[in-house]
Amino acid sequence: MRSFLVFLSSLLVFCGVACDCRALTVALLPFADISSDYNGVDLAATDTFHELLEIEGLTLIDGPVVRRFMAQYRLRRAGSLDSFTARKIGRELEADLVLIVTLCESGGVEKGRFGILVTALETVGGEVVWTSQQSSSLFEETALLGIGTPRDGSELKIRLMQTAARRTAQALPELELFAAAERGPFRLVDIEISPEYTQGLSTVECFLKIEALADMPEKVELSSEGGPIVLIPGKAAGEYHGSWTAPSKDGEYPVSLTLTSKTIAAPVHLQKFARYTVINKAPQLTIELKQGITLNEVAVFRDQLLITSSLQPSRPVSRWQFMVLLPDGTVQVKDEQDGDLPRDLLWRGCNSKRQRLQDGEYSLALTIWDAAGNQTRSEKKVSLRTECQPVEVKTVKKGDKNIVRLSTPEISLNGLGLTWKLHVYSPDGAPLLEQSGSMLPAEIELPAGIDVDFLLYSIDVQDLIGNTFSLAENRLYMPDSGLQVAGVEKWSEDF
Amino acid sequence: MLYNPEKAIFSNWGLRFFCLTLVFISICACSAPKRTITRVAGKNPELNICRVVLLPFVNESRSPQLSTQAYRIFFSEIVGSSLFRVEPEGDLQLFLYRNRIRPDTIWNRDLFVALAQQLEVDGVVIAYIRESNLVAGASGSRNAYVSLQVELHDARSGRLVLSSFLRRTGDDYTKVLHFGVVDTVSGLLQKMAKEIINEWREKGVSGCQ
């Protein structure tokens, strides 16, 4: 009897050593229910699934323990997990696997559509090792003669959860869990380099937040151009900060980190996790004006000007200023704002109080400050013209011919492309002449045999920027009449 | 009663009509499957990609939850296919937060390089849900349809490797009568993801194998 007991105990010890029968421990996170809301959680379904997995033979960590862990580490999102947290769950809750479940579809009892997605992460490397998806609807489940068809949506939901639990329980023990390589003991949660763009020899500051699987690093060293800087721990655990002087040369400078701890064999290097840029020279700013006509490098416009700008090389802008100035430097419009420059600016020829400015010459000045604080400015001359150039109409004698002469006082504005249309009538209204053209001055011969002191004329004039004027039934005195030469008596804007 | 061949089963006109109808339905159900349009970028694309990360799906449909749903289902199918090793969704979210990358950011080469460096991935999957709605299905129910475009980029350079486009409804998978019809959006997305992954294999993406 004694020898039998010794044999039995030896056999049990041998079996225990040979098959390493430690049950697989699984942490089940609360179900994410994205069927109605991005942040939805279904705790009732989580508890049901927990029971189903236990029935199938899996060892699970108690739900409240998992939820306490989530609350402690402020895990606010169900349905997704990062590898570091998976490893932390493995370490602190002694879990081999973490299950995250998403209810993709939950159409309710009436609609009867349901979808469940199970994902397993191992806790050594935090890798996703297995996933499974089940989805169905009452319509899909309709069998021949209705045998075995679920009665309603809730029965379908239970059935699918049972299937998911069975598949999970079958698949998990067969996974190769420890094939994944172990990752580092630290995780960089946040890093902020301020300013991201700076001028040479300015002070650059760094703030970073680190999480550790076990103990925090004893030394956090930041490496950049100009040598390493040891960062100072902040008030909260895992927070570090430090500052250094930026190099004088233009360029992009990457930042790397080295974390040292007595509990780890070798320092952990986090390469090129952030960068800052040194810029000493302002970019070249070019402004282009649209919806006007450029004459002798001056943009002439009537209603509005569309102002577009470009930077060469392209660079983030921290502030910009737009001004409209008179030739003597008096500011008519000033707009200054932080942030990037708008794609285009529109100026309607008004001052800051939205009052229409008088016709005349102005300067548009655009100034920008790039993200490093370098300033650049560009200016353009513009001319506001809301009235058409008057055209003088008179008659002259050339030999025995009577000529109508059209001319403008300002020769420089001929470039605005005035087009005109002239009608000449006899005093009783009979048409004598109809002529149009686009060149000024112009001379048109009147028909012979006119024996009156004056004629009547109408003229319509339009320039290229859209200003139009017209004169109707004005008197045109004949050269032989000795009466006064008709000038521009009255101009009326054509609305 | 003697056997009369004219009154045998197959000489009965009603039964003949029934058999013909069955044959017709079977032929209709076995019609040629819809093709997935996959284009390979360039002559020698980088197909040696093992570890990938899925960026959040761009949702152009009117269903707000569809992007998360499609993301997780596509993620699940890639893991299940063993074609690639996939970076967990949480790691990507942390990367986006740490680098202050907003959902509407246009990805340039610098961002791809940062992603490749920090998450140690070779490939990036970018997907667009172009359209999604319900349509009246042949079987009488209201079936979902989804248009999906999925791109695989080389993470080290940001270059496009493959681009697949497909549009499916639940009725596309019908076999006979209502059997085979996919009535759930999840089921439809799962089948679409499988089609795309199979297509990528056929185009020469070897993944980790």
Side-chain angles (χ1 to χ4, degrees), chain B residues 111-130:
Chain B
L111 288 178
F112 278 113
V113 170
L115 187 69
Q117 257 175 6
Q118 294 181 29
L119 295 185
E120 295 173 5
V121 291
D122 317 312
V124 181
V125 176
I126 300 177
Y128 306 87
I129 300 164
R130 299 291 185 199

Side-chain angles (χ1 to χ4, degrees), chain A residues 40-110:
Chain A
V41 175
D42 191 340
L43 291 177
T46 313
D47 293 338
T48 309
F49 197 64
H50 190 283
E51 282 172 27
L52 289 171
L53 286 175
E54 281 186 332
I55 290 167
E56 293 292 338
L58 282 183
T59 309
L60 277 95
I61 292 164
D62 285 345
V65 175
V66 174
R67 285 164 212 172
R68 256 201 310 278
F69 175 90
M70 291 182 78
Q72 185 187 345
Y73 290 101
R74 296 178 183 182
L75 302 180
R76 295 189 182 92
R77 198 172 286 163
S80 70
L81 196 68
D82 60 275
S83 52
F84 189 85
T85 311
R87 290 165 62 207
K88 212 168 176 72
I89 291 173
R91 193 182 173 91
E92 297 199 8
L93 303 184
E94 293 181 356
D96 300 307
L97 288 166
V98 184
L99 283 184
I100 48 175
V101 184
T102 304
L103 297 180
C104 296
E105 221 160 328
S106 190
V109 177
E110 303 84 26

Side-chain angles (χ1 to χ4, degrees), chain B residues 54-74:
Chain B
L54 274 73
L55 293 189
F57 282 25
V58 180
N59 188 3
E60 293 169 6
S61 78
R62 289 179 186 174
S63 317
Q65 312 307 331
L66 195 61
S67 59
T68 314
Q69 188 181 2
Y71 180 95
R72 291 192 182 156
I73 289 167
F74 203 84

Side-chain angles (χ1 to χ4, degrees), chain A residues 161-476:
Chain A
M161 280 173 69
Q162 281 171 335
T163 311
R166 193 166 54 249
R167 286 191 186 172
T168 309
Q170 281 169 359
L172 296 193
E174 292 171 9
L175 294 172
E176 291 176 23
L177 291 188
F178 305 108
E182 190 165 349
R183 296 186 184 187
F186 305 114
R187 175 173 71 165
L188 183 62
V189 179
D190 197 8
I191 184 161
E192 198 176 330
I193 305 280
S194 176
E196 218 175 320
Y197 294 86
T198 187
Q199 289 172 341
L201 304 175
S202 306
T203 303
V204 182
E205 289 185 328
C206 174
F207 161 85
L208 64 94
K209 195 174 175 189
I210 290 167
E211 273 182 8
L213 270 184
D215 299 321
M216 280 292 167
E218 280 138 22
K219 191 171 148 192
V220 178
E221 217 171 55
L222 184 143
S223 315
S224 183
E225 190 80 9
I229 302 118
V230 177
L231 298 181
I232 306 157
K235 284 178 186 172
E239 286 182 1
Y240 297 85
H241 61 87
S243 62
W244 66 97
T245 306
S248 57
K249 278 187 183 174
D250 281 23
E252 273 194 353
Y253 296 96
V255 171
S256 299
L257 290 169
T258 307
L259 301 112
T260 319
S261 173
K262 281 178 190 167
T263 53
I264 53 168
V268 175
H269 299 284
L270 303 172
Q271 299 289 342
K272 298 178 182 174
F273 257 73
R275 68 185 62 201
Y276 63 96
T277 310
V278 173
I279 306 165
N280 293 306
K281 198 178 164 192
Q284 193 185 342
L285 175 67
T286 314
I287 56 177
E288 269 186 54
L289 304 174
K290 291 170 183 174
Q291 300 185 353
I293 292 166
T294 306
L295 292 174
N296 303 326
E297 297 184 353
V298 176
V300 186
F301 74 106
R302 183 180 75 137
D303 295 321
Q304 58 188 26
L305 265 182
L306 192 68
I307 303 144
T308 59
S309 59
S310 61
L311 281 177
Q312 193 62 38
S314 178
R315 201 173 285 172
V317 172
S318 65
R319 192 156 62 96
W320 58 270
Q321 185 191 64
F322 173 71
M323 285 200 297
V324 179
L325 305 135
L326 285 172
D328 63 359
T330 313
V331 178
Q332 296 293 306
V333 177
K334 188 175 179 181
D335 190 4
E336 192 169 346
Q337 285 184 36
D338 287 335
D340 228 340
L341 198 61
R343 193 180 296 171
D344 42 49
L345 294 161
L346 193 70
W347 183 47
R348 295 184 191 276
C350 298
N351 61 15
S352 296
K353 294 173 185 169
R354 302 195 175 201
Q355 294 162 332
R356 189 81 176 171
L357 290 173
Q358 288 180 342
D359 282 13
E361 306 279 319
Y362 297 91
S363 285
L364 302 185
L366 186 64
T367 311
I368 65 121
W369 288 262
D370 70 7
N374 301 300
Q375 184 185 336
T376 181
R377 181 186 166 103
S378 183
E379 257 190 62
K380 281 266 180 188
K381 284 200 171 148
V382 297
S383 175
L384 175 63
R385 295 269 169 185
T386 54
E387 286 183 359
C388 192
Q389 188 61 32
V391 175
E392 196 176 61
V393 184
K394 63 180 181 182
T395 50
V396 290
K397 194 91 179 172
K398 276 194 175 177
D400 56 347
K401 291 175 182 172
N402 289 324
I403 304 287
V404 181
R405 179 176 285 167
L406 307 178
S407 60
T408 53
E410 271 190 66
I411 296 164
S412 63
L413 283 166
N414 283 349
L416 271 179
L418 293 178
T419 53
W420 50 266
K421 194 168 188 181
L422 177 75
H423 293 264
V424 180
Y425 312 90
S426 64
D428 56 358
L432 296 174
L433 180 71
E434 185 183 330
Q435 187 86 29
S436 59
S438 56
M439 292 293 289
L440 287 174
E443 290 187 347
I444 309 137
E445 187 183 334
L446 283 168
I450 298 171
D451 189 20
V452 288
D453 287 339
F454 66 90
L455 297 171
L456 295 174
Y457 76 92
S458 298
I459 187 164
D460 296 309
V461 185
Q462 185 174 11
D463 63 22
L464 272 180
I465 57 172
N467 292 315
T468 56
F469 287 96
S470 56
L471 277 176
E473 296 182 6
N474 245 34
R475 284 187 179 190
L476 179 66

Side-chain angles (χ1 to χ4, degrees), chain A residues 32 34-38 77-84 102 104-105 113-115 117 119 121 126-133 135-137 139-140 142-144 183 187-192 271-273, chain B residues 51 65 68-69 72-73 75-77 79-80 85-91 93-94 97-100 110 113-114 117-119 134 139-143 177-179 181-190:
Chain A
I34 59 163
S35 59
S36 54
D37 182 66
Y38 177 69
R77 198 172 286 163
S80 70
L81 196 68
D82 60 275
S83 52
F84 189 85
T102 304
C104 296
E105 221 160 328
R113 290 190 176 97
F114 191 73
L117 188 64
T119 306
L121 283 90
E127 297 271 354
V128 177
V129 285
W130 181 81
T131 61
S132 169
Q133 193 212 333
S135 62
S136 194
S137 70
F139 184 74
E140 279 182 40
T142 307
L144 272 176
R183 296 186 184 187
R187 175 173 71 165
L188 183 62
V189 179
D190 197 8
I191 184 161
E192 198 176 330
Q271 299 289 342
K272 298 178 182 174
F273 257 73
Chain B
R51 194 174 179 85
Q65 312 307 331
T68 314
Q69 188 181 2
R72 291 192 182 156
I73 289 167
F75 183 101
S76 167
E77 285 308 312
V79 173
R85 287 170 70 187
V86 194
E87 193 67 15
E89 187 185 341
D91 287 44
Q93 283 166 354
L94 186 70
Y97 165 73
R98 201 169 48 214
N99 292 277
R100 313 288 189 270
D110 288 349
V113 170
Q117 257 175 6
Q118 294 181 29
L119 295 185
L134 288 170
S139 45
S141 68
R142 303 249 318 148
N143 284 330
L177 301 174
H178 82 284
F179 296 104
V181 71
V182 182
D183 192 39
T184 58
V185 178
S186 307
L188 182 62
L189 287 166
Q190 186 184 19

